[in-house]
Amino acid sequence: MMTDPIADLLARIRNAQMRRHATLDVPANKLKANLLAVMVREGYVQGFEPLTPEGGHPTLRVALKYVEGRAAIEGLKRVSRPGLRAYVAKDEIPWVQGGYGIAILTTSKGLMTDKEARRAGLGGEVLCSVW
């Protein structure tokens, strides 16, 4: 059993980009799929697709994005973790790298970026920062 699947996803992305891999496979769940969908929408990841091997566990194949030979993601940081959850109100949502990056929050309306949460007037749990 994995203690923190989000931290595992972020570490796999970080490691794959350091090795210049085009794709990577991660164990699938709905939260990871939604998190990757936000990263695709914001332009940090090219895309992802669900894979279900016969008799195996479902996985997600993530296509990483590179711009002029450099990874589109410069940094990933897990903010809220199982041992220390980070909840913020709508007026306490953090700015990532002075607005250059994004914070991904889980709110009552689903996963969204910090900018979308500010616009909607929602607070929530800050899952991670991407820049």
Side-chain angles (χ1 to χ4, degrees):
M1 183 174 148
M2 196 178 310
T3 306
D4 190 359
I6 300 301
D8 177 65
L9 170 68
L10 299 178
R12 286 176 190 242
I13 291 173
R14 192 178 305 118
N15 292 340
Q17 283 191 330
M18 286 185 351
R19 299 299 307 155
R20 302 277 185 227
H21 290 241
T23 62
L24 75 134
D25 293 343
V26 295
N29 68 27
K30 283 170 49 172
L31 181 60
K32 289 180 189 178
N34 292 336
L35 187 98
L36 287 169
V38 170
M39 292 173 80
V40 167
R41 192 172 66 232
E42 293 297 315
Y44 289 105
V45 175
Q46 254 184 352
F48 70 97
E49 63 180 346
L51 301 175
T52 309
E54 282 191 39
H57 298 286
T59 60
L60 297 170
R61 176 154 293 155
V62 182
L64 300 175
K65 184 174 182 178
Y66 296 93
V67 180
E68 297 177 5
R70 296 186 60 194
I73 298 174
E74 288 184 23
L76 291 165
K77 182 181 177 193
R78 178 76 159 117
V79 177
S80 182
R81 44 197 174 88
L84 181 64
R85 298 290 182 182
Y87 296 100
V88 294
K90 64 181 179 181
D91 54 346
E92 297 171 350
I93 298 172
W95 290 94
V96 179
Q97 300 288 315
Y100 174 67
I102 62 168
I104 300 176
L105 289 86
T106 178
T107 68
S108 59
K109 303 287 184 194
L111 255 59
M112 58 181 68
T113 66
D114 55 341
K115 295 170 186 81
E116 294 167 344
R118 277 190 205 95
R119 206 173 306 122
L122 296 170
E125 182 180 1
V126 183
L127 294 179
C128 62
S129 304
V130 184
W131 65 94

